Amino acid sequence: MRTYDILKMTDAGWEAIPTLEIDHKYFDTPEEIKAYAQISYDDEAILVHLSTVERVIRAVETGPLGSPCEDSCLEFFFCPEEGDPRYFNIEFNSNGCMYLGFGSGIADLVRILPGDGVDPFSYVIQKEEGRWEITYRVPFAFIRRFFPSFSVYAGKRMRANCYKCADFSEPPHYRAWSPIVGEPFKFHRPECFGEMIFN
């Protein structure tokens, strides 16, 4: 199982946070498409920074009901509590189109729409030719709506995975940090998540 240490954010910023490469590629994903992730936290939220390098960036989907996975998409899935298979999946394209889901797998996944008090995670996107990146916050207060006893402390473990995909790009491509094993192939496999440890 792959592991990653989640360090608390300091004045040094993202330069002091370890970078993981989303390096397991599937199907005919070109080698030159790269993706990376950094996960951190502060006193109020999990902090996520995802980036990708790719020659052609598909960015079509917009709005609250869009499907960012059809475009160049960066994704973070995580199970907040050990022993509980339920997870959040957070997906963004470079337009800021977000898919926020919650469940234990495809069969019971529910899409959560921003609004009605749901924090949109205060995202910031930076784009330039051949690359884009996103930084956002997942507030602890949001997580506690689903896991009331959720807390962060040194040594806390959670299962998670980071992905890069683009269903309708040319060519379509799929990458994962923690490898997806077994059939069928899908990102919604919490049993394939790696382990992230708060420090």
Side-chain angles (χ1 to χ4, degrees):
M1 179 187 298
R2 293 191 105 169
T3 62
Y4 175 83
D5 289 331
I6 304 178
L7 304 186
K8 191 169 187 178
M9 185 60 71
T10 67
D11 291 342
W14 288 106
E15 290 187 6
I17 304 302
T19 298
L20 61 83
E21 185 172 1
I22 304 171
D23 56 356
H24 288 277
K25 64 188 188 75
Y26 302 91
F27 307 112
D28 295 323
T29 295
E31 188 63 42
E32 62 267 19
I33 296 175
K34 304 291 188 182
Y36 307 91
Q38 294 169 287
I39 311 298
S40 183
Y41 69 103
D42 60 18
D43 292 335
E44 298 179 348
I46 296 173
L47 313 176
V48 181
H49 176 226
L50 305 171
S51 61
T52 181
V53 176
E54 56 188 302
R55 186 174 57 83
V56 177
I57 298 172
R58 187 181 194 274
V60 175
E61 293 293 300
T62 60
L65 294 177
S67 296
C69 64
E70 297 177 358
D71 293 337
S72 173
C73 187
L74 290 163
E75 306 183 358
F76 176 54
F77 288 33
F78 69 102
C79 299
E81 297 288 12
E82 281 191 275
D84 191 325
R86 295 176 300 161
Y87 62 90
F88 295 105
N89 62 293
I90 304 168
E91 310 171 11
F92 275 100
N93 72 2
S94 63
N95 291 332
C97 177
M98 179 177 72
Y99 186 106
L100 171 60
F102 178 70
S104 59
I106 290 290
D108 67 355
L109 191 71
V110 175
R111 186 170 190 170
I112 303 169
L113 295 177
D116 296 327
V118 175
D119 190 309
F121 299 168
S122 306
Y123 67 86
V124 175
I125 292 173
Q126 294 180 303
K127 293 188 276 189
E128 56 188 82
E129 186 175 353
R131 62 173 290 119
W132 70 276
E133 61 187 85
I134 183 167
T135 305
Y136 58 88
R137 302 168 57 83
V138 185
F140 296 155
F142 169 77
I143 297 172
R144 290 187 186 114
R145 295 180 188 179
F146 301 82
F147 301 90
S149 61
F150 176 81
S151 64
V152 167
Y153 51 85
K156 178 184 175 63
R157 298 168 183 267
M158 70 178 189
R159 301 292 300 279
N161 214 343
C162 301
Y163 303 108
K164 168 72 180 79
C165 70
D167 288 348
F168 293 169
S169 186
E170 288 296 335
H173 53 265
Y174 305 90
R175 284 183 171 270
W177 167 61
S178 183
I180 301 168
V181 296
E183 297 292 341
F185 174 86
K186 57 184 177 180
F187 286 175
H188 295 265
R189 298 277 301 276
E191 68 273 20
C192 296
F193 291 1
E195 189 170 64
M196 297 191 175
I197 306 160
F198 289 89
N199 286 272

